Amino acid sequence: MALRTPTQRLARDALRSSTSSRLSLSRPETHSRRFATPAPPVTQDATGSKGPTAMVFLNMGGPSTTGEVGDFLSRLFADGDLIPLGRLQSYLGPLISARRTPKIQKQYAAIGGGSPIRKWSEYQNAEMCKILDKISPETAPHKPYVAFRYANPLTEEMYTKLLEDGFGNGRGGRAVAFTQYPQYSCSTTGSSLNELWKWRHRLEGKSASDNGNGSITWSVIDRWPVHHGLVEAFAQNVEAKLAEYPEERRKDVVLLFSAHSLPMSVVNRGDPYPAEVAATVYAVMQRLKFSNPYRLCWQSQVGPSAWLGPQTATTVEEYTAKGQKDLVLIPIAFTSDHIETLYELDEEVIGESGHTDTVKRVESLNGSPVFINALADIAKAHLETGVACSQQMGLRCPGCTSERCLESKRFFAGQQVSVSPLGGKTAA
């Protein structure tokens, strides 16, 4: 379903002309708060302000403790968008997750007892919202929320918190679903948006036009693979790691960009992820002025079916066997540390390479000020455009047969009639 922007503009203009009332969310006095302190409830008085704005980070998530690993894996293997197991999904998913739980628990124990992805997601969002309050006062205050697909806080938990904090339930309000996967895939961002649509459907109503009844107005930042701030943050971290090699060897170090792989069934369906990951890699190399030889490889294959390759571990093995032992791994599709960086890359790929002194990993973005400023820039630009979601998001994969995907895309595209520039919402 391709989005028709002129049609959306006409619908929005018609809606604007039909009423003079506008949604207003009063702005509570700004004050400093400690990290992870719950945001105070918002109040809305339907008079004219364009804030507050809920900024919702979407991500896969990870178990914060080893005790949460079983539930995390159960949700992961139940998701046919991420790991398509066909008609046997309901049988194979629980079987695979149960068999893998003890092994994965040991991996999380090895990196400190749990994934740091929640800590970093909450920190990045909170810091981004502080910047947005300054550079986009029209939509302030900005309230940070995190919605994970497979771990706490789950999408349902996030949505319930939104309602408790004064969004929706007849009071309207604006929320931005901001994917933390820079490159779009139906299996990651698409799955998270499908889940968001499901809980919006269950908790607020079936129709995109329900916004006139005071439900939350949603818009989506669905991809940002070559944003200049993202590219700069990656490039600076690569330069810092290269500086650890002797100068006479530095230019010959091979840069191995590593991203989470996809089943070939998903790739062949037309998923845009491989192309968008490659676009990020090329943009980073342009910023580095192609200072080093480089390759893109893929990690985290699960199960016996064919996945996108070459695999990162195999790539490192084959290069070192050929005598190329100066290698730098760059997690190019991840915005913070989690099991794939801290265990799979650090402990397995590098730890088992036999060359831990010459095979290194670039630091993840984590608390990088350059990266967090990039997030704020992306969010501000999105709020200024008044676009509910990109035209690219509205285009289904050529081989897509998912009715849930179709309805989800229709819903977010249909939010266009309620979204206006700088975060405002026109009441019905």
Side-chain angles (χ1 to χ4, degrees):
M1 178 191 64
L3 306 186
R4 295 175 174 83
T5 304
T7 302
Q8 294 171 342
R9 279 202 298 268
L10 287 172
R12 189 176 64 210
D13 292 343
L15 189 58
R16 284 176 174 168
S17 64
S18 68
T19 178
S20 59
S21 64
R22 299 184 65 85
L23 171 72
S24 172
L25 315 179
S26 65
R27 301 177 186 172
E29 216 173 298
T30 58
H31 60 282
S32 62
R33 62 184 181 87
R34 293 173 65 95
F35 172 67
T37 301
V42 301
T43 56
Q44 304 177 12
D45 56 22
T47 58
S49 171
K50 294 178 180 177
T53 306
M55 303 301 299
V56 180
F57 275 15
L58 304 178
N59 211 325
M60 177 185 295
S64 297
T65 66
T66 56
E68 297 176 16
V69 170
D71 288 341
F72 169 76
L73 292 178
S74 294
R75 298 184 189 105
L76 189 149
F77 283 100
D79 183 9
D81 290 327
L82 180 67
I83 303 175
L85 299 174
R87 290 178 297 176
L88 296 177
Q89 189 98 31
S90 61
Y91 170 76
L92 292 177
L95 182 64
I96 296 172
S97 62
R99 292 183 63 180
R100 288 178 62 86
T101 293
K103 174 184 176 181
I104 303 302
Q105 284 178 325
K106 292 178 181 179
Q107 293 179 1
Y108 278 103
I111 64 170
S115 172
I117 193 170
R118 179 172 185 171
K119 177 192 75 172
W120 285 121
S121 297
E122 290 177 341
Y123 175 80
Q124 291 163 350
N125 200 349
E127 293 301 303
M128 179 196 73
C129 284
K130 291 176 186 177
I131 298 171
L132 282 175
D133 285 348
K134 296 177 182 178
I135 65 176
S136 184
E138 302 90 345
T139 52
H142 301 85
K143 303 290 185 178
Y145 298 85
V146 171
F148 285 155
R149 183 66 181 86
Y150 311 113
N152 297 322
L154 295 166
T155 305
E156 176 187 8
E157 179 185 341
M158 178 281 301
Y159 215 116
T160 301
K161 186 70 166 64
L162 278 178
L163 299 176
E164 291 173 351
D165 285 353
F167 292 90
N169 280 335
R171 292 164 292 191
R174 174 73 187 275
V176 177
F178 192 168
T179 180
Q180 292 306 291
Y181 307 101
Q183 306 91 4
Y184 185 96
S185 173
C186 300
S187 64
T188 53
T189 299
S191 179
S192 290
L193 290 173
N194 288 345
E195 187 75 357
L196 177 61
W197 166 77
K198 181 183 80 173
W199 285 106
R200 196 278 188 183
H201 180 138
R202 292 184 180 181
L203 298 176
E204 290 206 273
K206 298 180 181 180
S207 173
S209 62
D210 288 343
N211 300 86
N213 297 324
S215 59
I216 298 169
T217 294
W218 285 94
S219 64
V220 179
I221 302 173
D222 61 280
R223 71 198 74 206
W224 32 287
V226 293
H227 184 271
H228 61 86
L230 174 72
V231 171
E232 181 63 26
F234 275 129
Q236 288 188 14
N237 284 1
V238 172
E239 289 173 332
K241 188 57 61 175
L242 285 173
E244 297 179 9
Y245 290 85
E247 187 173 358
E248 65 274 13
R249 289 160 42 196
R250 196 170 300 158
K251 66 180 177 59
D252 297 318
V253 175
V254 174
L255 306 181
L256 295 180
F257 293 88
S258 184
H260 199 295
S261 188
L262 280 182
M264 287 306 298
S265 60
V266 176
V267 175
N268 292 336
R269 191 173 64 207
D271 196 281
Y273 176 75
E276 294 191 9
V277 172
T280 307
V281 170
Y282 196 82
V284 172
M285 290 310 304
Q286 280 186 311
R287 158 60 179 78
L288 294 172
K289 299 181 180 178
F290 298 96
S291 59
N292 292 73
Y294 69 99
R295 283 293 185 274
L296 171 58
C297 46
W298 309 88
Q299 64 181 93
S300 308
Q301 176 175 326
V302 178
S305 62
W307 283 59
L308 184 64
Q311 286 290 299
T312 302
T314 304
T315 301
V316 170
E317 289 174 4
E318 292 177 344
Y319 273 129
T320 55
K322 291 178 172 67
Q324 177 61 53
K325 299 175 183 178
D326 288 342
L327 304 169
V328 168
L329 300 175
I330 306 157
I332 197 64
F334 308 127
T335 59
S336 63
D337 276 322
H338 54 306
I339 193 74
E340 280 84 359
T341 59
L342 297 175
Y343 190 85
E344 187 174 351
L345 293 183
D346 291 356
E347 299 296 325
E348 293 186 326
V349 177
I350 297 176
E352 297 175 10
S353 68
H355 303 283
T356 55
D357 55 334
T358 60
V359 181
K360 304 175 185 287
R361 177 175 69 85
V362 165
E363 293 297 317
S364 297
L365 299 178
N366 292 340
S368 162
V370 174
F371 173 64
I372 293 170
N373 274 283
L375 294 174
D377 184 69
I378 293 165
K380 181 176 186 293
H382 172 76
L383 291 168
E384 288 177 340
T385 63
V387 173
C389 60
S390 70
Q391 285 191 312
Q392 184 70 348
M393 179 183 150
L395 182 65
R396 298 172 74 193
C397 294
C400 179
T401 59
S402 170
E403 288 299 315
R404 182 174 61 168
C405 175
L406 173 62
E407 292 303 318
S408 173
K409 288 180 181 295
R410 281 178 176 169
F411 169 77
F412 288 110
Q415 293 283 278
Q416 187 61 52
V417 296
S418 301
V419 174
S420 63
L422 292 174
K425 175 184 178 297
T426 304

